[in-house]
Amino acid sequence: MTTAADGTAGPAVRVRFLGDFELTVNGAPVQRWRAGKARGLFQYLVVHRGQMLTRDRLYASLWPGADAAAGSSLKVAAHALRRVLDAHPDRPGDSGIRLVYRDFGYVLHITGLWSDLDRFQELVHTGLRAAAAGDAPLARTRLRAAIGLYGGEFLRGESADWVVEQREYLRALALRALGVLRADAEAREDFVELIEICKRTLEIDRHHEETYRALMAAHGRRGELACVRRWYELCARRMRDELAVAPGHETQRLLGTLIPAAARAFAPSAAVSAVTGAPPATVRALRTAARRAGTPAWSPDARTTAPARPVRRARPDNRAAAALARAADQATA
């Protein structure tokens, strides 16, 4: 399917990668593709536009395991892509898209392209530079705009290796931007924005433990101890059920600082030890046993062990009972 111009202003080609993929050419959405891999080929070429991508590289990314020398899948996808987007190398259509075959590979050229991927990265990098330079208002503006543009993970639903790699990079970039915004909100003591930033962070990474600590600290500053407890419970449950780990010592220590009783209730021996700083019960028992056996606690590989002393039975001590009896006699006399 080709698209026609509708007189709208702005870039002729608009591409959205963050969340659900969307392509519009001259204001009209492209919804039907003539070959199964035509869309994947276009996505890969747009991310690497202007570069000459060899056949081997394209096959390795889009048709892993296929024989690039014998296969015709790339030719079919490229032909379909030209038909869909009117991207003839010599006679580009109104979109200004040209797919050129050169030097055993393909190059994609697009005139007037807007991409949420490019804009998101530009905003994040500009915001981070402003934050490093101490320009908090500019950093805040740029990073807020970037997070507003982050509509979801890169090419949601796609599972190719190159997609996953790009997705994780952009996800880390979004978390970094949110981290700067969180620190800025903490410095300004804007707890409303801080909580919103933390919730947005957990939408991207539900195991981001630093964010749970920020939420616990924010609610603790406001005296909302029930919220502190609930955020810790949520963190601990997700870490346990989905990652098979316990919250880190810093998170447990923060809970112990804000709600000491809750820390004791939540954490058995090892966890309470992390909060209070005392050695776990198992370690204390081993140390005690080692001392009783005559082996220094600091030398687990000692070659000799002193024989254990015989246990002497204690004689019954009836003095306390006799004293109680005398007190009872005096009270009834």
Side-chain angles (χ1 to χ4, degrees):
M1 181 188 81
T2 57
T3 57
D6 61 357
T8 58
V13 181
R14 297 178 64 88
V15 186
R16 291 191 178 274
F17 288 98
L18 301 173
D20 296 327
F21 177 73
E22 180 181 309
L23 168 65
T24 59
V25 179
N26 293 322
V30 177
Q31 298 175 339
R32 297 178 59 188
W33 299 83
R34 295 178 181 270
K37 284 291 185 180
R39 188 175 76 163
L41 175 61
F42 176 74
Q43 292 166 345
Y44 190 81
L45 290 170
V46 171
V47 172
H48 301 91
R49 66 187 179 280
Q51 305 177 35
M52 198 284 291
L53 305 176
T54 64
R55 288 169 51 86
D56 290 342
R57 179 175 175 180
L58 290 170
Y59 267 98
S61 299
L62 302 174
W63 293 273
D67 187 354
S72 60
S73 301
L74 179 56
K75 290 182 179 179
V76 173
H79 178 72
L81 185 57
R82 288 192 180 108
R83 295 281 301 276
V84 168
L85 302 178
D86 198 12
H88 194 279
D90 300 323
R91 301 183 305 278
D94 294 335
S95 67
I97 303 174
R98 296 171 58 235
L99 179 59
V100 181
Y101 180 76
R102 185 177 62 205
D103 298 333
F104 307 105
Y106 289 87
V107 182
L108 182 70
H109 299 283
I110 306 179
T111 302
L113 170 69
W114 181 92
S115 165
D116 63 347
L117 175 63
D118 297 338
R119 183 59 177 161
F120 169 75
Q121 294 181 88
E122 177 188 352
L123 287 169
V124 172
H125 290 306
T126 303
L128 294 178
R129 286 194 296 269
D135 191 344
L138 178 60
R140 194 179 307 135
T141 300
R142 294 292 189 269
L143 296 177
R144 282 174 178 171
I147 296 305
L149 199 58
Y150 192 85
E153 62 183 17
F154 177 76
L155 290 179
R156 182 164 48 204
E158 302 288 341
S159 58
D161 286 348
W162 78 270
V163 173
V164 174
E165 180 181 348
Q166 186 75 13
R167 179 181 298 155
E168 291 304 313
Y169 165 72
L170 296 169
R171 180 171 172 268
L173 206 58
L175 291 173
R176 187 177 175 189
L178 285 163
V180 174
L181 288 173
R182 183 179 65 245
D184 174 70
E186 288 173 339
R188 293 182 291 109
E189 297 189 349
D190 188 337
F191 295 114
V192 174
E193 182 176 359
L194 173 61
I195 292 172
E196 289 299 319
I197 291 169
C198 289
K199 290 170 62 178
R200 185 73 176 93
T201 302
L202 294 178
E203 291 174 3
I204 299 174
D205 182 2
R206 57 195 280 122
H207 308 116
H208 200 266
E209 198 169 346
E210 185 178 351
T211 296
Y212 289 105
R213 290 197 296 270
L215 285 164
M216 291 166 61
H219 287 291
R221 290 279 301 275
R222 299 171 67 172
E224 299 165 346
L225 300 185
C227 293
V228 172
R229 182 183 181 121
R230 284 194 291 269
W231 281 118
Y232 180 86
E233 288 177 342
L234 180 61
C235 174
R237 184 169 64 251
R238 286 177 173 176
M239 301 287 280
R240 180 191 66 238
D241 295 347
E242 299 169 17
L243 299 180
V245 297
H249 292 173
E250 191 173 348
T251 305
Q252 295 174 13
R253 192 178 301 113
L254 177 61
L255 178 66
T257 300
L258 297 174
I259 315 178
R264 291 192 296 270
F266 277 117
S269 59
V272 172
S273 300
V275 175
T276 61
T282 53
V283 175
R284 294 196 300 270
L286 289 173
R287 289 177 179 174
T288 304
R291 294 192 186 100
R292 287 176 179 172
T295 302
W298 44 264
S299 180
D301 58 343
R303 296 185 179 181
T304 59
T305 302
R309 295 181 179 179
V311 178
R312 294 185 299 176
R313 297 182 179 275
R315 294 180 179 178
D317 187 355
N318 297 323
R319 288 176 295 179
L324 289 174
R326 288 195 299 273
D329 292 340
Q330 293 173 1
T332 56

